[in-house]
Amino acid sequence: MQARTSLLFRNGLTLAICAFFLTIMHTSASPASPCGLLHDLNSNGVVDVKDLKIALISWHSNSGGLYATMPGIMQLATDMNIARCAASTFPMGVVLFEQDRIQGGAAYAHNSGARYVRWWLEWNWIEHNAPVNGIHSYYWNTLDANLQELMANGLTVILTIDNVPSWASRVPPSSSCGPMDDQQLQNFADLVAAAAARYDLNGVNDGPTTVPIRYFELFNEADNADQSQSSIGGCWGKYGSKYADMLKVVYPRVKAVSPLSQIIFSSMAHDLFYNPPPGYVWGGCSSPIPNPTTACPFNYDFLKDAISRLAADPAAAANNYFFDYMGFHNYNFSRLFYNGPLPLDQSLLGKVKYMHNRMGAIVPALANKPFASTEIGLRVADAGARPAEEDQARHAIQEIVHSMAARLPFSLWYNIKDRPGELRYGLFRGGTGFAGLERPSYFALQLAASKLDGWDYDTQIIASDVNIQAFAFKHAGQTGRRIVAWWDDGKRMVDQSQTASATLRVGLAELGAWNGKVLVTNRQANALNTILTQQLTGSSAVDVSFTSNPVFIEVAP
């Protein structure tokens, strides 16, 4: 039996290879789609044996599921192409809440330049009661309608799943924040799998939405250990091993029905620790948990507890360690701890590197796990204090550039609009509606999108002045590079000078093309929506000066 099974597999694999090579012969001569050649799965401009390898690996790992038949590899390659095309190369998105959506926020999110939006699937709203005899009753209608509205506004949805129903909760008194009861893990896995199958648009058990949802984040800031701060979400902070056990049930269940769906390990705060590591720089923490007045509810050991538990499972390596992306949030208050030596690994880049190194030290196989961020941001202080609205606008561009340099698939600004009772993080001030409430950061992100959407990160430019952050981007359809540069002394935005400046000399080596003319674009400082452009000329190079307000540099037409 084993010999026959191996023979059947070899014959099936041979047929699949032949079928895919026929696809290669067909699509290589076909015109490119808006996101490149059909089945060019690594986006290198050709359909070749590397794409074949990608499809075969995925086909083999899913050969017992939806793609088990001989045409399966063809369908899988098509589905993989759809997933690739559905996502923009520009990672910027925003966090949107229900009140924002009601006031028309989806359109404003799109107009900000956002390509992605974070939305919530709340388990306690989808499944009001426990299943009966294994039969679930899900209420999708409201979620379906919300998702359709977001998608109609050109937004790709990142779905965060949270809020445990009372009948499934482990934490008294039946809190929606925190782990579910151990006996409910399979029910939660059924929910996530049902959502993935409903929204992946692969033709099986699909809902009414029109754009595939690929990313499913399991709980917000799970490293929160303070049940009294349940508004943050998560509340798994004291249960890292339980979080791992949940992933071990959910991940294979989802992949069996929707192989292309991506599971995000809860976007952790990984900051404001009540048990900080040596050298952690942040003065805002008060007393440790369980004091409900603590300002720092996050458990530094949560990550270690969770991934150690995952790695101990014999099936971990075969199941991608039970998650596809490590999620994290990044705010500016702990930058000094995560920074590398100037000009390298600053701000968001420093945090990604720190977490990569930490994960690799605990579980070496996770050293290169891809990251994604469902929250980045900078709060605005009271009038006359800092961080000011101008600081926020500068920071918004800087964070998107760093997100692209970190090769994040998405990085979502928190949030589109100030929320009542919260600190002011929004691209819009609080109030009724959106019109007239824009902050400069809204227009700053519009500028970033106009200059960087469709461009891929190429390299960091290292200048003689270590206070220069400069990053070069390239475009498959254009010659030359675009550079984004700003002055940065490594301090938090609240402490940085708004007027200190630096000068970067750019020519053929930096721009990748040269005609003696350079176009420089930036926002006018302390203005709502004024874009400045200047053209500089030089025989072989020009000097471009700037402050912490980023400039976009390119060869002029």
Side-chain angles (χ1 to χ4, degrees):
M1 174 64 80
Q2 183 176 2
R4 185 180 176 200
T5 301
S6 299
L7 178 62
L8 287 172
F9 175 74
R10 286 197 300 270
N11 288 342
L13 185 59
T14 301
L15 287 172
I17 291 173
C18 291
F20 193 78
F21 265 116
L22 288 174
T23 303
I24 291 173
M25 292 170 60
H26 171 71
T27 58
S28 294
S30 301
S33 70
C35 60
L37 286 171
L38 181 65
H39 300 151
D40 177 16
L41 301 179
N42 60 358
S43 302
N44 67 348
V46 295
V47 181
D48 57 16
V49 70
K50 294 179 181 178
D51 304 296
L52 170 63
K53 182 179 179 181
I54 293 170
L56 285 177
I57 290 173
S58 185
W59 178 75
H60 175 61
S61 65
N62 295 295
S63 57
L66 297 174
Y67 306 106
T69 61
M70 282 305 101
I73 190 171
M74 300 289 286
Q75 183 61 48
L76 178 60
T78 300
D79 288 351
M80 291 172 75
N81 190 77
I82 291 171
R84 179 177 64 87
C85 292
S88 167
T89 58
F90 186 57
M92 187 202 133
V94 295
V95 177
L96 203 68
F97 292 97
E98 174 64 8
Q99 189 60 35
D100 305 324
R101 184 198 62 79
I102 292 172
Q103 297 181 31
Y108 285 94
H110 176 75
N111 291 340
S112 74
R115 303 297 180 260
Y116 296 91
V117 65
R118 187 191 198 189
W119 199 249
W120 279 263
L121 186 164
E122 297 175 284
W123 185 10
N124 58 356
W125 282 91
I126 297 297
E127 190 172 20
H128 304 160
N129 301 303
V132 177
N133 297 324
I135 305 300
H136 296 275
S137 295
Y138 297 131
Y139 297 86
W140 299 108
N141 289 351
T142 299
L143 179 61
D144 286 346
N146 291 344
L147 294 175
Q148 287 175 291
E149 180 179 344
L150 298 172
M151 293 170 182
N153 281 280
L155 298 168
T156 298
V157 175
I158 314 300
L159 206 56
T160 298
I161 303 177
D162 63 2
N163 283 1
V164 178
S166 59
W167 57 263
S169 177
R170 154 188 192 90
V171 182
S174 300
S175 171
S176 64
C177 187
M180 67 284 299
D181 186 84
D182 291 348
Q183 303 305 312
Q184 303 296 337
L185 289 177
Q186 189 59 56
N187 285 328
F188 181 65
D190 289 346
L191 170 82
V192 182
R198 185 174 185 83
Y199 298 123
D200 64 4
L201 300 190
N202 70 348
V204 180
N205 297 322
D206 290 340
T209 51
T210 55
V211 178
I213 296 177
R214 297 298 183 206
Y215 297 100
F216 297 86
E217 177 188 34
L218 304 186
F219 298 90
N220 177 65
E221 295 186 341
D223 50 342
N224 172 24
D226 190 351
Q227 194 73 30
S228 71
Q229 298 195 54
S230 60
S231 61
I232 296 173
C235 301
W236 293 75
K238 293 182 285 187
Y239 307 98
S241 294
K242 293 291 185 184
Y243 188 84
D245 290 343
M246 177 270 294
L247 285 175
K248 290 192 291 183
V249 177
V250 170
Y251 190 85
R253 178 79 175 88
V254 169
K255 294 295 183 176
V257 299
S258 183
L260 301 182
S261 291
Q262 303 293 290
I263 297 299
I264 304 173
F265 187 113
S266 171
S267 288
M268 294 181 294
H270 204 269
D271 245 323
L272 302 181
F273 307 112
Y274 65 86
N275 54 344
Y280 182 73
V281 180
W282 169 247
C285 297
S286 56
S287 54
I289 303 258
N291 187 327
T293 63
T294 180
C296 295
F298 299 102
N299 183 6
Y300 183 74
D301 293 330
F302 171 81
L303 176 61
K304 172 179 66 67
D305 294 344
I307 64 175
S308 296
R309 178 85 158 201
L310 292 174
D313 192 296
N319 285 277
N320 202 24
Y321 290 84
F322 304 103
F323 66 98
D324 298 301
Y325 287 85
M326 174 55 68
F328 76 106
H329 293 164
N330 191 60
Y331 294 92
N332 199 235
F333 35 71
S334 298
R335 175 182 175 176
L336 298 179
F337 176 69
Y338 291 113
N339 274 351
L342 284 166
L344 303 174
D345 302 321
Q346 295 299 295
S347 191
L348 181 146
L349 288 170
K351 188 167 188 176
V352 170
K353 184 171 183 178
Y354 180 94
M355 292 182 68
H356 260 145
N357 289 344
R358 186 180 179 213
M359 290 169 61
I362 299 168
V363 181
L366 297 181
N368 294 310
K369 198 74 167 178
F371 275 52
S373 182
T374 54
E375 289 183 24
I376 59 174
L378 183 72
R379 72 174 182 88
V380 174
D382 294 337
R386 296 185 66 192
E389 290 189 345
E390 176 63 20
D391 294 318
Q392 186 193 54
R394 298 179 184 202
H395 183 72
I397 296 177
Q398 295 171 12
E399 285 286 87
I400 289 301
V401 170
H402 280 155
S403 297
M404 296 180 76
R407 302 189 189 280
L408 305 184
F410 53 83
S411 190
L412 312 183
W413 185 267
Y414 184 92
N415 50 357
I416 191 169
K417 185 179 177 182
D418 293 347
R419 302 183 74 197
E422 282 194 2
L423 297 174
R424 296 181 287 270
Y425 284 92
L427 302 177
F428 289 78
R429 304 176 190 91
T432 301
F434 285 84
L437 299 176
E438 300 93 336
R439 284 198 173 105
S441 53
Y442 174 74
F443 299 107
L445 289 177
Q446 282 186 338
L447 174 61
S450 72
K451 289 295 184 181
L452 295 178
D453 193 6
W455 292 70
D456 297 314
Y457 172 66
D458 187 18
T459 188
Q460 182 175 0
I461 296 173
I462 306 300
S464 57
D465 184 347
V466 298
N467 290 333
I468 290 178
Q469 290 282 288
F471 298 86
F473 298 84
K474 59 186 178 181
H475 193 291
Q478 300 188 36
T479 58
R481 295 164 162 170
R482 282 182 178 168
I483 298 171
V484 189
W486 64 90
W487 177 90
D488 190 327
D489 63 355
K491 295 179 182 177
R492 296 184 305 161
M493 186 60 72
V494 67
D495 299 317
Q496 278 197 1
S497 168
Q498 290 189 350
T499 58
S501 64
T503 299
L504 178 67
R505 191 164 183 80
V506 296
L508 176 61
E510 292 76 21
L511 291 168
W514 187 253
N515 63 3
K517 299 181 293 183
V518 171
L519 180 67
V520 180
T521 308
N522 70 317
R523 297 174 40 259
Q524 180 175 316
N526 298 301
L528 185 63
N529 183 27
T530 302
I531 305 302
L532 306 176
T533 59
Q534 60 175 320
Q535 182 169 297
L536 306 176
T537 59
S539 58
S540 61
V542 300
D543 292 327
V544 181
S545 297
F546 41 80
T547 65
S548 61
N549 182 19
V551 297
F552 297 83
I553 309 167
E554 59 195 299
V555 174

